[in-house]
């Protein structure tokens, strides 16, 4: 049996309608829809599957993140998993040069051996990246706006306003594989497993999620000048910000620890955690 897993609350409660679009790409019409609401028991569902079954995940990066955090690597490898991106950002799909409406076949190898991040004594697997700084701030503001309106959130506009008026840079202490350095006037320090996050940003263009031995990449984005911070920021969407070496530093390693001198919002694959002073990530 082929199962199409979706979240009916996604896309402003249009998750089912979005998921049904995958039918246009399927030759085999023998399938069943399964709604992955908050009370969905992943363990019970997965234990009922056989090796002959197939899964299609219809959703965005948050849907994938939620799934991998509720399953073991052994469970994920039990069946074939395809992916039909229906989210707003679709950074995982974009990292694989795909887009919303494409069907990504057999993505299981990308869902195992994932890095973890520890925030406020809780550990999470992450698929794309951990944003800390103005990127986390954008997610926090976006969540607040989503509660007030069903209009599409313009994260770029939120980031620009944050750079100019709302977000204040921090002092960041960054430790990579035991080597520590303090950075002043830091705007963001994402830790990346893939190349893309935040709906198209490419903070670490050379990061390879399947590289062996596995490493993570951290971008330190710092400058005293708000104007320079604003001028360089759009280049992140092309990956050309790395040319501005006085502003951007890329670090790689297997064990990462980042702390700020004041609490800021942090996001894990787009899911926001507020009031964070530090995170630790490792492969």
């Amino acid at each position: 049996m082929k199962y199409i897993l979706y979240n009916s609350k996604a896309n402003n409660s249009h998750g089912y309608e979005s998921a049904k679009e995958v039918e246009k790409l399927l030759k085999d019409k023998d399938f069943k829809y399964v709604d992955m609401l908050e009370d969905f028991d992943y363990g019970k569902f997965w234990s009922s599957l056989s090796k002959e079954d197939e899964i299609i995940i219809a959703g965005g990066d948050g849907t994938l993140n939620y799934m991998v955090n509720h399953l073991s690597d052994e469970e994920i490898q039990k069946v074939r998993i395809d992916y039909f991106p229906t989210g707003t950002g679709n950074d995982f799909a974009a990292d694989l040069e795909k887009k919303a409406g494409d069907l990504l076949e057999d993505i299981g190898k990308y869902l195992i051996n994932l890095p973890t991040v520890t925030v406020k004594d809780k550990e999470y697997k992450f698929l794309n990246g951990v944003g800390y700084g103005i990127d986390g701030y954008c997610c926090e503001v976006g969540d607040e706006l989503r509660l007030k309106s069903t209009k599409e959130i313009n994260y770029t506009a939120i980031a620009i306003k944050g750079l100019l008026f709302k977000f204040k840079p921090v002092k960041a202490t960054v430790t990579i594989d035991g080597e520590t350095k303090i950075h002043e006037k830091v705007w963001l320090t994402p830790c990346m497993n893939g190349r893309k996050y935040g709906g198209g940003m490419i903070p670490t263009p050379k990061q390879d999620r399947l590289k062996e031995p596995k490493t993570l990449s951290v971008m330190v984005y710092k400058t005293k000048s708000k104007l320079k911070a604003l001028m360089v920021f759009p280049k992140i969407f092309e990956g050309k910000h790395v040319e501005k070496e006085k502003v951007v530093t890329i670090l790689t390693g297997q064990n990462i620890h980042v702390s700020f001198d004041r609490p800021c919002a942090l996001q894990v694959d787009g899911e926001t955690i507020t009031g964070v002073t530090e995170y630790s990530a490792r492969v």
Side-chain angles (χ1 to χ4, degrees), residues 180-225:
T180 299
K181 186 173 181 179
I182 296 175
H183 303 266
E184 302 284 350
K185 301 297 180 181
V186 172
W187 297 86
L188 63 162
T189 54
C191 179
M192 302 298 297
N193 178 51
R195 293 179 301 141
K196 298 183 178 183
Y197 80 150
M201 297 169 66
I202 317 174
T204 54
K206 293 184 178 181
Q207 173 64 15
D208 180 357
R209 63 175 69 238
L210 293 181
K211 179 183 177 181
E212 292 293 343
K214 193 173 184 66
T215 59
L216 299 170
S217 294
V218 177
M219 179 187 73
V220 181
Y221 187 96
K222 60 182 181 179
T223 177
K224 296 178 181 179
S225 168

Side-chain angles (χ1 to χ4, degrees), residues 46 73 85 113 122 134 136 176 194 199 203 215 224 230 238 248-249 264:
W46 237 260
D73 283 4
N113 299 320
K122 186 174 180 179
I134 197 168
I176 310 290
T215 59
K224 296 178 181 179
L230 185 61
E238 300 177 90
V248 176
T249 301
C264 291

Side-chain angles (χ1 to χ4, degrees), residues 125-145:
K125 297 177 187 177
F126 64 98
L127 190 64
N128 298 320
V130 177
Y132 193 32
I134 197 168
D135 41 6
Y137 161 83
C138 290
C139 288
E140 181 179 21
V141 174
D143 290 347
E144 294 171 355
L145 292 175

Side-chain angles (χ1 to χ4, degrees), residues 249-270:
T249 301
I250 305 295
L251 305 167
T252 61
Q254 296 183 316
N255 288 277
I256 316 295
H257 184 267
V258 177
S259 63
F260 284 179
D261 62 349
R262 63 175 174 82
C264 291
L266 174 147
Q267 62 87 11
V268 181
D269 287 342

